[in-house]
């Protein structure tokens, strides 16, 4: 019964957005209010409130949970979204977006390959380096600039931003998961590699299916060509990502795998795509751009990638310096949780620096850039409200025990069949929090506990790779969380902001729902087969 009560906020959010077509920010506000009421009056009565709050006022728990949610929403999620949209608006203001559009189109005459290049290739690189919505916001904005419809751009970027999520922000979700399930609380390099490898194995089919879906959404008439591209690009992606995960760890699979996919697409285009002049191809007048013009046009995104790379774990000295300089860290009252934000180490600052310096290179004055930033921020005010309410709801559900109660209810309900449903728990966590990292924090330990209860604690072989059964089940949480990303209201809010689709959150959710269900079912099947059959 308590699990049924705990799931009310999630069901309410879906019903409001999909059933009644209530706008995202209104749905988020209403759901947060209902969650507050449940936390105040249902959680204490039903005994799901964690014991550590036994001597605390439920009103204080509620208040500080909401404050924690607002803080985490603003730093860094909203900061990154504003800066990502700001970077695109600079290109529109300076007209350099036209050069980028033309160059992308000139890379290939095939519309499907062009979309795959932007969403699966560029999007994967952005997710691997920065995460937090950049892989949706920037490619979607470019697609619209190329003439694609906003709804198509939003949905296809959400579909593409799945496989890379577990290794986003330089492997943060997978690293967090490995630390959650490690006996010592800090995963060894071997444990990091094992968990990362298991995530890749569980997602292996999606390396081929997802590119195929992207291609079919773009052009349904060329099935054979779409299959061949998906197999060719998927093979490059999975081989590189598996090697990165198995031999290096979770930091590089998404970045290097996406770069490999881009190279594969360009090779395929050179070998098999002929120049065509049909309605099915994207047409543009052929233009030759010099090196100076190209560097100027790409200065914004080029500098963003440069700053993100040098500040990441790929460059340890710089990463350590930034992570230990100008860091705000304090313990929140009552909840006992810690809020931490690095003013120099967050991806939002890197995007901001790249955007401003690139904007100056492209001819804008600093004053004009700040005015554009203010305008961008003002235009995103409803997105800010949406995300603040959703993250506050997530923190409230987590701190009052509702999220954990949902997962425990699913474990009790499914029993021995739990491995098939393990990815669903990760999806629920990501749906609620909007973050694969947070989903792994919430449920990573629960997956390990469920494995112990089911007797899954031995060494075994999964699709030819030997490892611990507990880590295999825990990895399902991260693999499943990527399906939840398709439905997460926070992700959809980012898409609506990037595509200027205010109030159409429910429409986007309806279109991504079939993909999310398919993703979760495929993940469940792979986890179950790996554990009991193969």
């Amino acid at each position: 019964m308590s699990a049924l009560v705990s799931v009310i906020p999630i069901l309410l959010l879906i019903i409001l957005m999909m059933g009644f077509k209530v706008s995202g920010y209104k749905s988020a506000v209403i759901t947060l209010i209902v969650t507050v009421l449940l936390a105040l009056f249902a959680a204490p009565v039903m005994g799901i409130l964690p014991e550590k709050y036994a001597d605390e006022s439920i009103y204080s728990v509620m208040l500080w949970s909401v404050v924690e949610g607002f803080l985490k929403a603003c730093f860094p999620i909203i900061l990154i979204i504003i800066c990502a949209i700001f970077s695109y608006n600079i290109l529109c203001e300076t007209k350099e977006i036209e050069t980028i559009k033309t160059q992308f189109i000139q890379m290939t005459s095939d519309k499907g390959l062009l979309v795959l290049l932007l969403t699966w290739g560029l999007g994967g690189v952005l997710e691997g380096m920065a995460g937090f919505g950049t892989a949706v916001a920037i490619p979607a904005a470019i697609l619209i600039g190329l003439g694609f419809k906003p709804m198509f751009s939003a949905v296809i970027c959400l579909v593409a931003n799945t496989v890379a999520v577990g290794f986003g922000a330089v492997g943060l979700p997978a690293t967090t998961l490995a630390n959650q399930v490690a006996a010592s609380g800090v995963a060894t390099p071997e444990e990091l590699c094992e968990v990362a490898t298991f995530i890749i194995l569980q997602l292996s089919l999606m390396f081929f299916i997802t590119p195929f879906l992207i291609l079919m959404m773009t052009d349904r008439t060329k099935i054979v060509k779409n299959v061949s591209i998906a197999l060719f690009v998927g093979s490059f992606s999975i081989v590189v990502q598996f090697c990165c995960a198995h031999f290096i760890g979770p930091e590089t699979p998404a970045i290097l795998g996406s770069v490999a996919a881009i190279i594969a697409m360009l090779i395929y285009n050179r070998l098999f795509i002929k120049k065509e002049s049909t309605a099915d191809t994207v047409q543009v007048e052929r233009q030759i751009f010099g090196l100076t013009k190209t560097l100027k046009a790409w200065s914004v995104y080029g500098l963003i990638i440069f700053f993100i790379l040098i500040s990441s774990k790929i460059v340890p000295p710089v990463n350590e310096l930034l992570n230990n300089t100008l860091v705000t860290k304090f313990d929140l009252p009552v909840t006992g949780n810690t809020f931490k934000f690095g003013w120099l180490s967050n991806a939002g600052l890197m995007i901001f620096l790249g955007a401003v310096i690139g904007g100056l290179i492209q001819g804008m004055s600093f004053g004009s850039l700040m005015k554009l930033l203010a305008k961008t921020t003002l235009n995103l005010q409803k997105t800010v409200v949406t995300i603040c309410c959703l993250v506050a709801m997530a923190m409230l559900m987590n701190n009052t025990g509702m999220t954990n109660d949902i997962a425990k209810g699913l474990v009790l309900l499914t029993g021995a069949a739990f491995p098939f449903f393990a990815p669903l728990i990760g999806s629920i966590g990501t749906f609620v929090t909007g973050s694969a990292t947070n989903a792994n924090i919430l449920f990573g330990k629960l997956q390990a506990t469920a494995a112990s209860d089911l007797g899954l604690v031995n060494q075994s072989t999964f699709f030819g790779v030997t490892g611990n059964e507990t880590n295999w089940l825990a990895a399902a949480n991260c693999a499943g969380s990527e399906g939840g990303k398709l439905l997460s209201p926070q992700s959809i809010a980012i898409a609506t902001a990037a595509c200027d689709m205010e109030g159409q959150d429910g429409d986007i959710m309806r279109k991504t729902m079939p993909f999310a269900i398919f993703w979760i079912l495929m993940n469940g099947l792979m986890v179950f087969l790996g554990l009991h059959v193969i």
Side-chain angles (χ1 to χ4, degrees):
M1 179 61 70
S2 61
L4 291 176
V5 173
S6 297
V7 83
I8 286 175
I10 297 175
L11 295 177
L12 176 63
L13 193 61
I14 295 173
I15 291 170
L16 286 173
M17 293 178 67
M18 296 184 63
F20 294 97
K21 297 184 178 180
V22 179
S23 62
Y25 83 97
K26 291 181 181 178
S27 299
V29 171
I30 293 170
T31 305
L32 176 59
I33 293 171
V34 171
T35 307
V36 167
L37 294 175
L38 289 173
L40 291 177
F41 303 109
V45 173
M46 304 194 75
I48 63 174
L49 194 67
E51 291 183 7
K52 67 178 183 178
Y53 300 132
D55 298 327
E56 301 288 352
S57 165
I58 185 61
Y59 293 96
S60 297
V61 175
M62 180 275 296
L63 174 63
W64 285 105
S65 295
V66 172
V67 170
E68 180 182 6
F70 286 165
L71 286 172
K72 290 186 174 181
C74 293
F75 308 101
I77 300 173
I78 291 172
L79 179 62
I80 289 174
I81 295 168
I82 290 173
C83 291
I85 304 301
F86 173 54
S87 68
Y88 176 74
N89 287 344
I90 290 172
L91 293 171
C92 294
E93 191 74 17
T94 61
K95 309 299 183 184
E96 294 296 342
I97 189 64
E98 298 301 322
T99 302
I100 291 177
K101 286 160 49 178
T102 302
Q103 289 183 329
F104 262 114
I105 293 172
Q106 290 180 351
M107 288 182 185
T108 177
S109 62
D110 186 86
K111 185 166 64 175
L113 201 58
L114 174 64
V115 172
L116 193 65
L117 189 66
L118 281 167
T119 57
W120 182 258
L122 177 62
V125 172
L126 290 169
E127 179 64 36
M129 293 188 301
F132 295 99
T134 54
V136 173
I138 292 176
I142 295 176
L143 281 174
I144 291 174
L146 288 170
F148 291 95
K149 293 181 179 179
M151 179 62 74
F152 170 85
S153 302
V155 172
I156 207 161
C157 286
L158 288 167
V159 171
N161 187 39
T162 44
V163 170
V165 166
F167 302 101
V170 198
L172 182 59
T175 301
T176 301
L177 175 66
N179 289 331
Q180 286 289 106
V181 301
S184 64
V186 179
T188 64
E190 292 75 17
E191 289 172 330
L192 285 169
C193 288
E194 183 172 300
V195 170
T197 302
F198 284 168
I199 294 170
I200 295 294
L201 290 176
Q202 292 172 8
L203 295 175
S204 54
L205 288 180
M206 302 311 294
F207 279 94
F208 303 98
I209 294 174
T210 305
F212 175 71
L213 291 174
I214 293 170
L215 291 164
M216 289 299 293
M217 290 169 67
T218 307
D219 186 355
R220 299 181 181 180
T221 64
K222 299 179 180 179
I223 299 177
V224 175
K225 183 208 71 175
N226 292 344
V227 169
S228 64
I229 294 176
L231 290 174
F232 190 79
V233 173
S235 298
F236 272 71
S237 296
I238 192 170
V239 168
V240 173
Q241 294 212 30
F242 178 85
C243 290
C244 289
H246 194 64
F247 297 109
I248 301 174
E251 292 85 4
T252 59
I255 299 173
L256 297 183
S258 298
V259 171
I262 292 173
I263 294 172
M265 289 179 227
L266 296 178
I267 292 173
Y268 188 95
N269 180 71
R270 178 63 63 90
L271 295 177
F272 303 111
I273 301 296
K274 297 180 179 179
K275 301 296 181 183
E276 300 174 353
S277 298
T278 71
D280 294 326
T281 60
V282 180
Q283 298 297 314
V284 67
E285 182 182 349
R286 192 73 183 174
Q287 298 182 44
I288 304 298
F289 297 104
L291 180 61
T292 302
K293 177 66 174 175
T294 298
L295 290 176
K296 182 180 178 183
W298 280 95
S299 58
V300 170
Y301 290 146
L303 286 168
I304 288 173
I305 292 173
F306 171 74
F307 285 125
I308 288 174
L309 279 177
I310 64 169
S311 64
S312 72
K313 293 180 181 178
I314 296 175
V315 187
V318 177
N319 180 257
E320 291 175 10
L321 176 64
L322 295 178
N323 282 330
N324 294 307
T325 307
L326 287 179
V327 178
T328 297
K329 182 179 180 180
F330 57 87
D331 294 327
L332 292 159
V334 182
T335 66
N337 297 335
T338 300
F339 173 75
K340 181 180 179 181
F341 180 71
W343 294 96
L344 298 182
S345 60
N346 69 89
L349 175 63
M350 305 307 151
I351 298 172
F352 175 78
L353 289 175
V356 170
I357 297 173
L360 292 172
I361 292 172
Q362 292 179 0
M364 291 187 70
S365 67
F366 184 78
S368 298
L369 287 167
M370 293 303 100
K371 289 180 181 178
L372 183 60
L373 177 61
K375 182 180 178 181
T376 301
T377 304
L378 189 63
N379 289 340
L380 292 174
Q381 55 186 311
K382 290 183 178 179
T383 299
V384 170
V385 171
T386 301
I387 293 176
C388 281
C389 289
L390 291 172
V391 180
M393 180 191 83
M395 292 300 102
L396 188 55
M397 290 183 67
N398 181 37
N399 291 337
T400 57
M402 285 191 278
T403 305
N404 196 50
D405 206 57
I406 295 170
K408 285 183 177 179
L410 188 57
V411 171
L412 291 173
L413 182 66
T414 58
F418 176 75
F420 179 78
F421 295 95
L424 177 61
I425 290 181
S427 297
I428 292 172
T430 307
F431 176 87
V432 173
T433 66
S435 164
T437 301
N438 288 340
N440 290 333
I441 292 172
L442 288 176
F443 297 137
K445 198 70 176 178
L446 182 141
Q447 300 276 14
T449 302
S452 178
D453 292 343
L454 294 169
L456 302 174
V457 294
N458 304 311
Q459 290 291 108
S460 188
T461 301
F462 309 93
F463 300 102
V465 177
T466 301
N468 188 274
E469 291 174 335
T470 299
N471 286 340
W472 176 261
L473 197 60
N477 198 78
C478 195
S481 67
E482 299 168 14
K485 198 79 171 176
L486 280 163
L487 292 176
S488 170
Q490 290 182 44
S491 298
I492 292 174
I494 293 169
T496 57
C499 300
D500 195 20
M501 297 175 64
E502 181 183 316
Q504 298 186 53
D505 310 63
D507 295 330
I508 295 175
M509 186 178 283
R510 273 191 293 275
K511 289 184 179 293
T512 58
M513 178 70 81
F515 296 106
I517 294 173
F518 174 73
W519 180 278
I520 295 167
L521 290 175
M522 288 298 298
N523 282 345
L525 183 63
M526 291 296 289
V527 173
F528 188 84
L529 289 177
L531 196 57
H532 295 296
V533 180
I534 301 177

